Amino acid sequence: MNRQKVLLGILAVLLLIVAWIYLGGDDEPTAAPGPAIARSHGADEEGAAPPPAALPARGSRGGDAAAPTREVKNLHLAQLDQVSGSYSVGRDPWRFYEPPPPPPPPPPPPPPPPTKEDLERQRQLEEERRRQEAYRLAHTPPPFTMSYLGTFGPASRQIAVFSDGKAIYNVREGERIAGSGFVVSHIGYESADVVFPALPEAPSQRVAPGAPKPGAPGVGVPGAPGVPPR
């Protein structure tokens, strides 16, 4: 009987010890082992710090289950200095799309160099142009620079009055005007026709009454003679 009581007492003590381990034994702080601290100092001297040791989970059974660990990533300081990419504004959705202008047309190709036939043709055209110009100048009378002042005398024998700005010339129809190479071919009521005999094929020039023409000698000279009285 005493033996049974002793066994029951031992069993009760064991139960209390087990209950204390499972229920309240993890509330006290657990000291970090010395060798782990020594390794951390050694790692600091090498320049790379190891991740912290994982602590056992609270309420776990003394090491039967693995405690969860947190991953600590390295901080790259070089990435903090990088400039963010540029941002471009897109099209405004509230406006109509404006297409870009078309590219300019390509420049025309340069003309091919002239051949011998082209050069010969250009030379002939230039000679023909010079020949026609010389013929025109040779068959064109000089400009009539005198001014026609009017007429006087009877209708059957009218006299035309011309002036070069220095002198007055009274000329009948068919007579030569002194100081010029022109001949009065016809005297009208308000004009006179003159021709250049050196070029008979040249048409006559009609002269109306008025002031001396630009380029006539004596134009603008004070005291120039006027129209003679009728």
Side-chain angles (χ1 to χ4, degrees), residues 141-222:
F144 185 77
T145 58
M146 289 187 177
S147 60
Y148 175 54
L149 302 181
T151 61
F152 69 97
S156 58
R157 293 181 62 86
Q158 287 187 343
I159 299 175
V161 181
F162 297 92
S163 174
D164 59 0
K166 294 181 178 181
I168 293 178
Y169 305 94
N170 299 326
V171 184
R172 289 187 175 91
E173 188 172 318
E175 295 180 351
R176 183 185 298 270
I177 304 174
S180 69
F182 288 90
V183 173
V184 178
S185 61
H186 175 73
I187 299 176
Y189 181 72
E190 294 182 349
S191 62
D193 295 342
V194 295
V195 295
F196 195 70
L199 297 175
E201 70 276 6
S204 61
Q205 302 182 34
R206 178 158 294 182
V207 185
K213 297 181 179 180
V219 174
V221 178

Side-chain angles (χ1 to χ4, degrees), residues 77-88:
L77 298 178
Q79 296 181 357
L80 299 178
D81 297 335
Q82 294 181 357
V83 181
S84 59
S86 59
Y87 175 74
S88 59

Side-chain angles (χ1 to χ4, degrees), residues 117-131:
E117 292 77 6
D118 296 337
L119 295 177
E120 181 65 20
R121 190 181 304 107
Q122 292 179 4
R123 187 186 63 80
Q124 294 177 0
L125 292 176
E126 185 65 21
E127 290 182 356
E128 181 65 21
R129 186 189 65 80
R130 292 178 180 177
R131 186 164 45 252

Side-chain angles (χ1 to χ4, degrees), residues 28-154:
E28 297 180 359
T30 303
I37 296 176
R39 283 198 305 271
S40 65
H41 286 293
D44 291 340
E45 293 176 358
E46 295 177 359
L55 299 177
R58 188 171 182 178
S60 62
R61 300 182 179 180
D64 295 342
T69 59
R70 291 185 301 172
E71 182 181 1
V72 179
K73 296 184 178 180
N74 295 331
L75 179 61
H76 300 281
L77 298 178
Q79 296 181 357
L80 299 178
D81 297 335
Q82 294 181 357
V83 181
S84 59
S86 59
Y87 175 74
S88 59
V89 181
R91 186 178 68 86
D92 189 356
W94 306 108
R95 292 184 179 180
F96 291 103
Y97 172 71
E98 297 181 0
T115 60
K116 293 182 178 180
E117 292 77 6
D118 296 337
L119 295 177
E120 181 65 20
R121 190 181 304 107
Q122 292 179 4
R123 187 186 63 80
Q124 294 177 0
L125 292 176
E126 185 65 21
E127 290 182 356
E128 181 65 21
R129 186 189 65 80
R130 292 178 180 177
R131 186 164 45 252
Q132 292 179 0
E133 183 67 17
Y135 179 84
R136 185 187 65 81
L137 294 177
H139 293 76
T140 300
F144 185 77
T145 58
M146 289 187 177
S147 60
Y148 175 54
L149 302 181
T151 61
F152 69 97

